[in-house]
Amino acid sequence: MADAPPLEIPEDGRLAANITHFARALRKAGLRLGPGKVLGAIRAVAAAGFTDRRDFYWTLHASFVSRPEDRAIFAQTFRLFWRDPRYLEQMMSLLLPSIRGLQEDRKAAAAERRAAAALLDGMIPEGIEAPPAPDDELQIEGDATGTSSGEERLRTLDFEQMSPAEMAEARRMIARLHLPVPPLASRRTAPAARGPIADWRRTIALSLRRGGEIGTLATRRRRARQPNLVVLCDISGSMSHYSRMVLHFLHAVANQKGAGGWADVHAFTFGTRLTNITRHLARRDVDQALAAAGAEAQDWQGGTRIGGCLHAFNRDWARRVMGQGAVVLLITDGLDRDPASDLAREMERLHLASRRLVWVNPLLRFQGFAPRARGIATMLPHVDTLVAGHSVATLAALGAALSASAGSGEKDRLLALMRG
């Protein structure tokens, strides 16, 4: 607030309409707003006045912000919408790197890009063109008329082939995905009306109230508990397009509430070293969560040392997060660059410590994929299931792969290719 330019209130008497447009931009950015809150904000501004810029900011803040994770989005949207008369140039400079308005050449803040996209709503003013694609990039165009809807096409489109607009829409689709998990039978029991286990202690206690006569047999059944999910995500250069989308999906899973969720979600990234990003995923705002995770993981788009990173996990973290039968999700293409590590031994240790080990490999998007790389051939025998992870549809299908009754996916077929 202190470093923002003075607030300019328009004199055309359209303040109520501007507040309505501002609320519409906030709603597109992710805030939960309805007509009632908009009317309340207009009445609050009319009652409090708008002679002081801080009063105006906090009046709208009190009217529109109801969750802590919405504060950053509100602040950035307010700055762009109300503070700068040339805010459109700023927004375009955030979304298109080749355009320079008043915005300096810097990285956008956590919620700044989302606020700019919400205010622009996909529109590009006249005279401004998006930067052309590099000449060496292959552009494939086709007529999808009569084939499937745009959303269905986007569900099956490879992340690496998506445009920035399609990536943004895919992230919104991923945020709505769920990863249901069947509960596990615990060793602990609880009283039940028709349970399979006799509760003799409670039966005797009830009989004492009748002078020692046993009238009914009390029973118990095993309690159900939710398992833990441990995710190991490769963020090396060959996985950069996929790891970012997977982390969006992981954030949605970690913040899922209600029945069918996981007890705890532990997330680690690895490239040349292992990084624990679990605490960052606890942030409700996905932009802030991934920005904090990226700041801590210093090996983004670097090399790949799968064996060394798995050794660090098995040594330092396995006993802390793998107790009580955790399900492990290993997301990597398997292209290990560390010949000195004992990858087979570390994969075996990880497999033995997990309740189920599911390998998500984006390379399965290729129809003729074969386990020719040394790292892939070494890792394959030590996983329970091998599935693809290159599109929204494949991420949505992970629920079946994580089930204990699910099959092995592509593992058996690739093992047969190795033996043949």
Side-chain angles (χ1 to χ4, degrees), residues 71-404:
R71 295 172 182 170
I73 301 174
F74 177 87
Q76 298 293 351
T77 308
F78 183 91
R79 183 182 67 84
L80 292 175
F81 190 90
W82 296 100
R83 292 296 180 133
D84 194 341
R86 298 179 63 188
Y87 69 91
L88 188 61
E89 293 186 24
Q90 285 191 328
M91 290 185 289
M92 293 307 303
S93 66
L94 290 177
L95 297 179
L96 301 178
S98 65
I99 299 170
R100 294 293 180 265
L102 296 179
Q103 181 81 3
E104 295 180 359
D105 189 6
R106 62 174 178 84
K107 293 184 179 180
E112 204 168 18
R113 187 177 297 272
R114 189 192 303 183
L119 287 171
L120 282 175
D121 193 19
M123 297 180 298
I124 299 180
E126 295 183 2
I128 299 179
E129 298 180 356
D135 296 336
D136 56 349
E137 287 188 5
L138 178 62
Q139 305 230 350
I140 302 176
E141 297 181 358
D143 186 6
T145 305
T147 57
S148 61
S149 64
E151 184 173 347
E152 185 62 27
R153 171 186 171 276
L154 193 60
R155 284 177 54 85
T156 58
L157 187 62
D158 193 325
F159 291 141
E160 197 171 26
Q161 297 177 355
M162 289 183 179
S163 65
E166 290 172 333
M167 293 282 284
E169 180 61 28
R171 284 193 290 266
R172 285 191 287 269
M173 296 172 62
I174 287 174
R176 300 193 298 266
L177 294 180
H178 297 280
L179 192 61
V181 53
L184 303 177
S186 173
R187 294 182 180 180
R188 298 178 180 270
T189 59
R194 297 181 180 180
I197 304 175
D199 188 350
W200 297 112
R201 177 177 297 180
R202 189 160 168 258
T203 300
I204 297 300
L206 293 175
S207 68
L208 293 179
R209 302 177 184 178
R210 303 181 180 182
E213 179 181 356
I214 298 179
T216 58
L217 178 65
T219 58
R220 303 175 69 88
R221 70 172 62 252
R222 293 188 183 276
R223 294 179 179 177
R225 66 176 181 86
Q226 301 302 119
N228 293 340
L229 177 66
V230 178
V231 181
L232 300 170
C233 184
D234 187 347
I235 58 173
S236 61
S238 59
M239 286 287 297
S240 59
H241 288 87
Y242 305 98
S243 57
R244 296 180 187 278
M245 304 302 287
V246 168
L247 290 179
H248 272 83
F249 175 61
L250 184 57
H251 178 270
V253 172
N255 288 274
Q256 178 184 350
K257 303 298 180 183
W262 300 85
D264 292 304
V265 178
H266 303 276
F268 299 83
T269 61
F270 67 91
T272 57
R273 66 178 185 177
L274 185 73
T275 305
N276 186 357
I277 62 170
T278 303
R279 61 188 180 93
H280 299 306
L281 294 182
R283 303 190 182 192
R284 298 299 300 274
D285 185 85
V286 62
D287 293 332
Q288 293 182 354
L290 297 188
E296 183 164 349
Q298 300 296 324
D299 52 345
W300 282 88
Q301 300 185 15
T304 310
R305 296 180 58 250
I306 301 177
C309 294
L310 290 183
H311 174 72
F313 176 80
N314 291 329
R315 180 192 62 200
D316 302 331
W317 293 100
R319 292 187 178 181
R320 306 186 197 183
V321 301
M322 299 283 286
Q324 304 178 351
V327 178
V328 179
L329 199 60
L330 179 61
I331 303 163
T332 179
D333 53 13
L335 303 179
D336 192 17
R337 304 291 197 277
D338 189 10
S341 64
D342 193 350
L343 181 58
R345 180 173 180 273
E346 300 303 333
M347 282 295 300
E348 183 181 12
R349 289 182 59 186
L350 181 64
H351 188 201
L352 292 175
S354 61
R355 179 179 182 86
R356 187 170 184 82
L357 177 56
V358 177
W359 182 7
V360 180
N361 192 336
L363 293 180
L364 291 177
R365 68 188 186 275
F366 298 115
Q367 188 174 4
F369 174 75
R372 298 188 180 92
R374 181 190 64 87
I376 297 176
T378 303
M379 296 170 60
L380 191 58
H382 304 289
V383 299
D384 296 305
T385 305
L386 174 63
V387 294
H390 61 280
S391 64
V392 177
T394 55
L395 294 182
L398 274 180
L402 292 177
S403 175

